[in-house]
Amino acid sequence: IYVTEVSRLGRNPRMTKEIIERISDFKVPITITNPSHLTTLNPDGSRNNFVHIILSIAIEFADQEAQVTKSRMMSGKLQRAKEGRSTGNNPSFGYKSDENKMLVIDSDESIVVEQIFEMYSEGMGSDAIAKTLNQMNIPTRYNKSHANKEVKIIGSDLTKSGASIKWEGVTIRNIIKNPIYIGNRIFKEHTVKAPEIISEELFNQCNELLSNKSTRNFITTYDYLLRDLAYCGCCGKKFYGQYSPKPRGAKVYKCASYIRAKGCGNTSINISLIESIIFNEFINSQSLLSLLENPNDLKKGIEKELKALEQQEK
């Protein structure tokens, strides 16, 4: 086996030594070509103890050098973070790097972040929020950065298209827990300042709900009667539903421009109001009843189910 330097065999000193010993036990020589040719076995296949001693020392020096390099890199990243600069190619959702590599707020993504916190504070579950964003075709970070690339699925050897990655409840929860949105950027054990997107009060409110699991008994899904059917009369965008199970929580259909931008000026529509009007029209419509097979049997079946539920409650 030929390697350019001992660090190519492994990073952990203990494991690297074990690798060398095990390979030597199989009578396979290892040759290190840099800085000079060192071979772990003699020509007759016996162990070259002198080379093993040299490699043992070289492994420790390589590890020390790696630690120093890593420390310098982290120190450099920390300094850039303190200066308000970006430290990677993938900032937190809601932020981006400008032409000077400074971490700044992404105007489009920050509106989505604001809506996530608002909906969660009103009692919507993280899965329901993710479902709402997917229904509105709000792109995830991967949708934009890896639209034409394959992304490896964590924990497996499978991949999927970046364009197919959707919002998930865990993504919403990670956003809610990230203090960067109130200006506290965590870098290892250090906290540095960052542009804030939401208020500290709203952040604390949402995280208290999350930590106490206050939303576990809330409705996390809602079947919207007008899903993909209602369009804004001002800008033409779709209306999407927002249902919060809290007494004063939002239960409305609103224009998609409200989350993508600052809104087109159109007002929201109360869900109960518009859906009750539609149901009333259905009930009073003879044409609808004519489309149903055996409407009387359907009515009797519903009444039977209601009586069964009443008996269960008693």
Side-chain angles (χ1 to χ4, degrees):
I1 296 175
Y2 286 83
V3 291
T4 55
E5 54 188 50
V6 70
S7 62
R8 299 298 91 196
L9 288 172
R11 295 295 187 183
N12 182 286
R14 179 177 177 180
M15 291 182 63
T16 305
K17 293 174 183 177
E18 289 179 357
I19 290 172
I20 294 174
E21 293 297 333
R22 291 191 64 183
I23 293 177
S24 297
D25 289 342
F26 285 108
K27 302 300 181 181
V28 176
I30 302 174
T31 299
I32 314 296
T33 61
N34 184 30
S36 59
H37 280 68
L38 300 174
T39 304
T40 55
L41 300 181
N42 294 314
D44 61 358
S46 62
R47 176 189 175 94
N48 189 326
N49 291 324
F50 177 73
V51 169
H52 275 263
I53 293 173
I54 294 177
L55 289 181
S56 179
I57 297 173
I59 289 170
E60 295 296 338
F61 272 107
D63 179 65
Q64 179 64 27
E65 183 181 1
Q67 293 297 328
V68 171
T69 302
K70 183 178 179 180
S71 177
R72 288 174 179 172
M73 291 177 61
M74 294 305 299
S75 178
K77 287 185 176 181
L78 176 60
Q79 183 59 37
R80 290 197 295 273
K82 289 181 177 179
E83 294 171 354
R85 297 180 180 275
S86 177
T87 56
N89 296 324
N90 192 27
S92 299
F93 187 86
Y95 296 90
K96 64 180 181 180
S97 299
D98 66 7
E99 61 276 6
N100 297 316
K101 302 298 182 181
M102 299 295 291
L103 186 71
V104 296
I105 294 175
D106 185 301
S107 57
D108 293 329
E109 292 184 353
S110 64
I111 296 173
V112 180
V113 172
E114 291 172 357
Q115 288 301 303
I116 288 173
F117 277 91
E118 179 182 330
M119 288 188 285
Y120 197 83
S121 69
E122 292 176 347
M124 287 187 69
S126 55
D127 291 334
I129 295 173
K131 183 178 179 180
T132 299
L133 296 179
N134 289 329
Q135 289 174 352
M136 295 175 60
N137 295 321
I138 302 297
T140 64
R141 176 63 62 76
Y142 273 110
N143 291 157
K144 296 187 293 185
S145 63
H146 294 71
N148 300 318
K149 300 178 182 178
E150 292 293 314
V151 179
K152 185 176 181 180
I153 300 175
I154 297 176
S156 73
D157 295 328
L158 302 176
T159 61
K160 61 180 177 180
S161 169
S164 67
I165 296 178
K166 303 295 183 181
W167 289 95
E168 297 181 359
V170 64
T171 309
I172 302 299
R173 292 189 291 274
N174 287 338
I175 287 177
I176 291 170
K177 292 186 291 184
N178 195 340
I180 192 173
Y181 299 113
I182 55 173
N184 295 330
R185 183 181 177 190
I186 306 300
F187 188 85
K188 297 301 179 179
E189 70 275 12
H190 302 277
T191 301
V192 298
K193 299 306 294 180
E196 63 181 54
I197 294 178
I198 63 166
S199 68
E200 186 173 352
E201 180 182 2
L202 179 58
F203 179 84
N204 292 337
Q205 179 186 354
C206 290
N207 275 272
E208 184 176 356
L209 286 171
L210 186 62
S211 61
N212 294 330
K213 297 184 179 179
S214 299
T215 59
R216 64 182 180 273
N217 295 322
F218 285 177
I219 296 174
T220 57
T221 59
Y222 185 90
D223 293 324
Y224 299 100
L225 181 65
L226 300 181
R227 176 184 172 184
D228 295 332
L229 297 176
Y231 290 83
C232 178
C234 294
C235 67
K237 295 183 182 296
K238 281 186 180 181
F239 265 56
Y240 73 96
Q242 181 177 347
Y243 185 92
S244 169
K246 287 187 175 181
R248 295 185 179 181
K251 301 173 180 64
V252 296
Y253 287 105
K254 59 174 62 176
C255 178
S257 63
Y258 181 75
I259 195 169
R260 290 181 182 272
K262 295 298 182 182
C264 66
N266 201 354
T267 57
S268 302
I269 304 174
N270 182 276
I271 288 179
S272 298
L273 175 63
I274 188 65
E275 292 191 355
S276 63
I277 292 174
I278 294 173
F279 277 121
N280 186 63
E281 289 296 317
F282 283 169
I283 293 171
N284 295 324
S285 173
Q286 293 299 319
S287 60
L288 176 65
L289 292 176
S290 67
L291 296 175
L292 297 175
E293 295 182 3
N294 303 318
N296 291 330
D297 293 342
L298 179 63
K299 181 178 179 182
K300 291 178 181 178
I302 294 174
E303 290 176 346
K304 185 178 180 180
E305 291 180 7
L306 288 173
K307 288 181 180 179
L309 290 173
E310 290 176 358
Q311 292 298 324
Q312 291 179 10
E313 292 179 356
K314 292 178 181 180

